[in-house]
Amino acid sequence: MTYKSTARRAGLAVGVTAVLASVLPAATATATAPVSGRAAVAAPGWCPSVGGHRVDCGGVDRPLVAGKPELGTVAVSYAVVRHSAPGPARGTVAVNPGGPGETAIDKAEEFAWGLEDLLEDHDLLLVDPRGTGRSQPVPCGVTDAEYRFGTRAQQRAAVERCARNLGPKAAGYTSAATADDIDAIRDRLGVPRLSLYGLSYGTYLMPVYASRHPERVRNIVLSGAYPLALDPLARPSAQAVPSNLRRVCERGVPVACDGEQAVKDLATTAARLRTEPLTVPVTTGHGVYEKRFTEDKLASLAFEAASSRVGLEPDKPSLLGRLPHALHRFVKGDAGPLRKLVQEEGSTGSTVDQAPYIAVTCNDYRKAWSKDAPLPARWRQYEAALAAVRPGEHGAFSARGFTEGTTDAGDVCIGWPRENTPGPQPTKPALPDVPVLVLSGDLDANTPDASGKKAAEQFRHSRFLSVRNMGHVPELETGRCVTGVSSRFVRTGEPGDTSCLRALPPIAVTPVHG
């Protein structure tokens, strides 16, 4: 749903490349340019190679902002991984790996590995969304590390600076524009209908595509999903954090922690950090900085970072598996384990520009204020929304503390301009009556089961499946249980045998003593 430009919210290939290196076949196929009744031409140099498959690559020039030719165009690039069996493809699957702003083309080999069975008779369409990867980046001068790890005031200022630097071009970054780009590529390729496969933010983008091009949709898979009518105060994520602590404690063999105690420790830690923040030195590839670790940063760590990579290597320590121990030691007066988690997370910051992420979330997502209101009125509306939150709706956190831990909710976009930017994406558009499968990891607080169920309810014929012991998103499971279920669904409209989704092993948990 929300953020991390090069790892956390990317979807299928998040952090999995190194793990898959030993099992991925060597890339031996040659890339070729698309053929549409004409002689083939040389493929662009960036066209990926995928072992056992032909890959066709190309691009289309699209208006940056519809109806404003003076703002120019954007070159949107794509790659098509062709099916391996003889004869025509049974269908084409368009995949978006998340973000907003995640690239797809450079993950071709990982997607091909995960969807190997489906690629026997289906083509795979990978599009780098406008402003990302091979699709003409338009920077706004805000880096991943600056945005993700700055204080809330710094994040709001970064959003305003991004808007100023983009100017009227900010209106070009919307889910609707990206959906229309995908459809323009579909039309160029001569594909009558697409199977849509969205991961994380892709579960928001693909329903937008379906609402704008309903006759072009065959079926849909959404994984790590949330609805178009997402909660601008992020309450589902806040409520999932305590549930996940209880689950990891209860499922361990032997039991490593007490779930109720872990939740109490979380509440105590959040309350303490609210008034007494930690200062943690963090080393990145760009030097050492002092990170101010407050309640909101704990929220980000607990719902977003702790959902990442869960279940990828279940026998190895993950942030979520180490969190109960770190919280308990902090309550007991030892901040060392928690500091270590903060330092490890802080070291992941990059210099990737966040224009696509900031602009899409600030243009599209629901807010707790009216876009048409001036800034003072927006603040009054936002404060009223916070004041109306009932006790406990943000779990172990205060309402302000948790919402300020998000990078796409709460008040972060409050300074986004009214002028020259589109209105929010409609939350209840007409959607096609096609088969839909929604998957969610039951240890994912980023896009938890509650959000996935609401995403499924948007469609008349949908099926929701929760994947035990997996985080965000469940395709990270390397046994290909999850992608096997989704591949069967794309091919047949039914998920088939789903028993493996309930049989994945519990994650390792650091024991809590005393």
Side-chain angles (χ1 to χ4, degrees):
M1 171 183 169
T2 56
Y3 181 73
K4 178 164 189 269
S5 86
T6 56
R8 191 175 308 134
R9 303 202 182 240
L12 180 65
V14 180
V16 76
T17 306
V19 177
L20 299 185
S22 62
V23 294
L24 284 171
T28 57
T30 57
T32 61
V35 180
S36 301
R38 295 175 299 175
V41 297
W46 49 260
C47 194
S49 294
V50 176
H53 297 273
R54 191 179 96 230
V55 182
D56 295 340
C57 295
V60 294
D61 288 332
R62 300 281 300 153
L64 182 60
V65 179
K68 294 187 177 182
E70 69 275 11
L71 294 179
T73 61
V74 58
V76 180
S77 298
Y78 65 87
V80 184
V81 183
R82 298 297 184 180
H83 65 289
S84 57
R90 290 182 57 181
T92 298
V93 185
V95 179
N96 179 271
E102 269 302 324
T103 56
I105 292 172
D106 60 348
K107 299 177 179 68
E109 197 167 9
E110 287 89 338
F111 282 121
W113 184 88
L115 300 173
E116 180 180 39
D117 179 66
L118 191 61
L119 267 170
E120 288 184 13
D121 52 16
H122 282 68
D123 292 341
L124 183 63
L125 172 60
L126 305 175
V127 178
D128 277 355
R130 52 174 53 203
T132 72
R134 301 296 177 180
S135 294
Q136 198 173 333
V138 181
C140 75
V142 177
T143 70
D144 160 53
E146 173 193 5
Y147 187 62
R148 185 150 49 101
F149 300 133
T151 66
R152 193 55 162 192
Q154 290 169 338
Q155 289 174 339
R156 291 195 301 265
V159 165
E160 294 180 22
R161 186 172 81 250
C162 184
R164 288 194 303 271
N165 289 342
L166 288 175
K169 293 182 178 181
Y173 286 111
T174 65
S175 301
T178 297
D180 291 350
D181 293 344
I182 293 172
D183 197 63
I185 292 168
R186 177 208 58 77
D187 183 63
R188 173 173 175 170
L189 295 171
V191 175
R193 291 194 300 167
L194 295 171
S195 293
L196 306 177
Y197 201 137
L199 303 116
S200 192
Y201 161 72
T203 69
Y204 185 95
L205 171 65
M206 292 313 190
V208 172
Y209 178 96
S211 72
R212 298 177 70 82
H213 307 282
E215 73 284 0
R216 301 303 182 185
V217 181
R218 178 176 171 234
N219 49 35
I220 304 172
V221 177
L222 306 176
S223 183
Y226 59 104
L228 295 174
L230 74 166
D231 181 2
L233 299 183
R235 280 165 283 204
S237 289
Q239 294 162 13
V241 173
S243 297
N244 288 352
L245 290 175
R246 293 187 183 100
R247 286 171 178 168
V248 297
C249 287
E250 292 166 359
R251 294 175 183 176
V253 181
V255 174
C257 54
D258 177 87
E260 294 306 320
Q261 185 60 53
V263 173
K264 290 178 182 177
D265 290 340
L266 175 66
T268 300
T269 303
R272 190 175 298 175
L273 291 173
R274 205 173 300 148
T275 57
E276 302 174 19
L278 284 177
T279 299
V280 182
V282 173
T283 302
T284 71
H286 310 285
V288 179
Y289 72 99
E290 297 291 325
K291 180 172 182 176
R292 190 169 182 266
F293 191 69
T294 50
E295 182 189 15
D296 59 309
K297 296 306 181 188
L298 174 66
S300 179
L301 191 77
F303 94 90
E304 185 180 352
S307 296
S308 175
R309 299 175 62 87
V310 173
L312 173 62
E313 298 176 275
D315 57 336
K316 295 183 180 180
S318 63
L319 198 160
L320 179 59
R322 296 157 64 193
L323 191 56
H325 172 263
L327 293 170
H328 193 65
R329 294 313 308 158
F330 183 82
V331 169
K332 293 294 185 180
D334 176 13
L338 185 58
R339 285 181 184 273
K340 187 172 182 180
L341 294 184
V342 175
Q343 289 170 330
E344 290 176 3
E345 172 62 10
S347 68
T348 64
S350 77
T351 59
V352 175
D353 192 89
Q354 296 306 297
Y357 177 83
I358 292 172
V360 169
T361 57
C362 290
N363 280 332
D364 284 4
Y365 288 2
R366 289 178 69 202
K367 308 297 187 298
W369 60 83
S370 169
K371 176 187 182 293
D372 296 326
L375 185 59
R378 290 184 182 190
W379 274 115
R380 290 193 296 272
Q381 292 166 4
Y382 177 65
E383 293 295 339
L386 284 182
V389 171
R390 296 189 297 271
E393 283 195 296
H394 282 90
F397 297 88
S398 68
R400 188 180 304 277
F402 194 87
T403 58
E404 290 189 357
T406 68
T407 53
D408 62 355
D411 62 358
V412 74
C413 290
I414 204 162
W416 193 250
R418 293 183 291 167
E419 300 78 13
N420 298 316
T421 59
Q425 165 64 35
T427 59
K428 294 183 179 180
L431 292 167
D433 186 9
V434 297
V436 178
L437 176 66
V438 180
L439 296 158
S440 178
D442 81 344
L443 295 180
D444 181 10
N446 188 338
T447 54
D449 280 0
S451 296
K453 290 175 182 177
K454 288 185 177 181
E457 290 169 0
Q458 298 173 125
F459 297 89
R460 183 177 300 176
H461 290 105
S462 63
R463 176 95 177 261
F464 172 79
L465 296 174
S466 181
V467 184
R468 188 176 175 88
N469 296 320
M470 289 301 299
H472 186 79
V473 293
E475 276 79 355
L476 286 172
E477 177 270 320
T478 57
R480 291 191 283 201
C481 157
V482 177
T483 54
V485 169
S486 62
S487 293
R488 285 194 297 272
F489 184 83
V490 169
R491 182 175 284 120
T492 68
E494 295 291 337
D497 182 6
T498 63
S499 59
C500 67
L501 302 181
R502 300 181 294 277
L504 299 176
I507 68 169
V509 178
T510 302
V512 175
H513 303 294

